Amino acid sequence: MLTALALVAAGALVYRSLPKMSDLVPVVRTADAGWLLVALVAELVSMRMFARQQWWLLRGFGVSLRIWRSIAVTYGRSAIAISMPAGSAVSAGFAFKAFRKAGASTEVAATVLLLSGVLSTAGLALLCLFGFLILLAEHPQDTWRTHPVASVVAVVILVVLLLFAVWEAICRRGPDTHGVPGSEDDWTSSGWRASARHAVTAMVTLPTRYRRGALVFAMVNWLADLCCLAAVAQAFHLPLTFFEVGTAYVVVQLVRQVPLTPGGMGMIEASLLAGLIAAGAHQAPAAAVVLGYRLFSCWLIIPAGLFALALLRAQAARHAPIG
């Protein structure tokens, strides 16, 4: 009931924010098809990087999963998360079962899910950090004058990350080992605090190349999704810089963490439209950009995910024992 009310409220908010069709249609007709194709490719890359991240983490724990299956699971769980109430929880449960079928233990499957979320958050945070540092390097005086605290914090975090990388290189362990410390019973019966402790231990014991690789995949995933939005903005001739589009994108990702509607439907559209308009875009082109970006990053993923789910079920039925 609460989800239905949230959807209705979000739909009403989006409807009130959108311009008239008479203003929107001429903008859509002037769209650059080449940039729309770039946006589609960028979103495909983003989804593939998400699949690669989980595939790489599973390999780090000694679990072999074919990349095509990882991609199918990624599209399937994304469609579930977008289209269902409590979709994120159902999506995680679906991925957990898929990892178990691939040969992962209960502990490894849960650890991969948790580490994937942690590294995805870290990847977005690092992209924000690097973006701000680039802005600081290009316009040091203006950035320092308008964002003095953020400038100091960004430099301090950069120094800490560099020191941590040096420390990790010096203290790197000898041979790489696979597996998660602790028993399967410990994971399932110890509570969330013990589970979090196990996950932290798993992060430390995970071979460095897998940990770093998963973080890189997460960063490319976010960057490709941002490039999808930027390409759609170019297609509709939005007079905004990449940094301005990126700022609106980050705000949307923060709003997305509030699970009021499935996949953030309505909330994301309204917040992204407001962010683009606040950055200096006109309402009709900004609305076209929002609709185009959501088409590639949300609405087209639902049928693709349903097809992936059907493919996985057909493959499972083909290999099921007879009798």
Side-chain angles (χ1 to χ4, degrees):
M1 184 65 179
L2 181 60
T3 301
L5 290 175
L7 279 172
V8 171
L13 180 61
V14 172
Y15 180 77
R16 292 183 61 183
S17 302
L18 290 176
K20 297 179 181 178
M21 289 298 296
S22 58
D23 296 329
L24 188 59
V25 170
V27 175
V28 173
R29 287 177 176 173
T30 62
D32 188 323
W35 278 111
L36 290 178
L37 180 60
V38 171
L40 176 61
V41 172
E43 194 57 40
L44 291 174
V45 171
S46 176
M47 293 294 293
R48 190 176 181 89
M49 290 300 102
F50 184 35
R52 286 255 173 195
Q53 184 211 38
Q54 295 171 94
W55 169 79
W56 192 244
L57 284 172
L58 286 169
R59 284 192 59 180
F61 290 114
V63 179
S64 178
L65 178 66
R66 292 183 178 180
I67 186 62
W68 75 264
R69 180 177 287 275
S70 180
I71 294 174
V73 170
T74 297
Y75 273 93
R77 66 175 296 190
S78 297
I80 292 172
I82 291 170
S83 60
M84 294 181 61
S88 297
V90 179
S91 170
F94 168 76
F96 177 84
K97 292 180 180 179
F99 297 161
R100 293 282 287 127
K101 289 180 181 179
S105 65
T106 300
E107 188 176 26
V108 167
T111 300
V112 168
L113 283 173
L114 185 55
L115 291 186
S116 176
V118 170
L119 291 172
S120 293
T121 302
L124 179 60
L126 284 176
L127 276 183
C128 294
L129 174 64
F130 293 155
F132 187 83
L133 289 173
I134 291 173
L135 181 67
L136 181 61
E138 290 182 348
H139 309 284
Q141 294 183 352
D142 293 339
T143 306
W144 172 257
R145 190 179 304 111
T146 55
H147 307 286
V149 176
S151 300
V152 173
V153 171
V155 173
V156 170
I157 293 176
L158 178 62
V159 172
V160 171
L161 290 176
L162 292 175
L163 291 176
F164 176 78
V166 172
W167 174 82
E168 187 181 44
I170 295 174
C171 300
R172 183 180 301 173
R173 302 188 177 191
D176 285 345
T177 58
H178 295 289
V180 183
S183 67
E184 194 167 305
D185 291 338
D186 290 339
W187 180 271
T188 56
S189 62
S190 297
W192 70 269
R193 290 186 180 180
S195 299
R197 186 168 59 252
H198 289 319
V200 171
T201 305
M203 175 78 82
V204 175
T205 58
L206 185 67
T208 303
R209 68 192 185 103
Y210 291 105
R211 187 166 64 247
R212 290 180 177 175
L215 180 59
V216 170
F217 285 136
M219 294 178 66
V220 178
N221 167 34
W222 289 113
L223 181 60
D225 191 46
L226 170 57
C227 287
C228 173
L229 174 60
V232 176
Q234 286 293 320
F236 292 107
H237 318 290
L238 228 60
L240 302 180
T241 65
F242 187 82
F243 182 81
E244 291 170 332
V245 173
T247 302
Y249 176 83
V250 171
V251 172
V252 167
Q253 298 312 315
L254 295 176
V255 172
R256 193 174 189 173
Q257 304 311 309
V258 183
L260 292 179
T261 60
M265 286 188 179
M267 304 294 296
I268 291 178
E269 286 83 355
S271 59
L272 181 56
L273 180 59
L276 294 176
I277 293 175
H282 294 293
Q283 186 182 29
V289 169
V290 170
L291 295 176
Y293 169 68
R294 290 295 278 171
L295 174 67
F296 294 136
S297 65
C298 177
W299 303 327
L300 288 181
I301 290 177
I302 295 177
L306 294 177
F307 175 78
L309 290 172
L311 185 65
L312 290 171
R313 288 176 181 173
Q315 210 244 1
R318 198 180 308 122
H319 292 83
I322 300 176

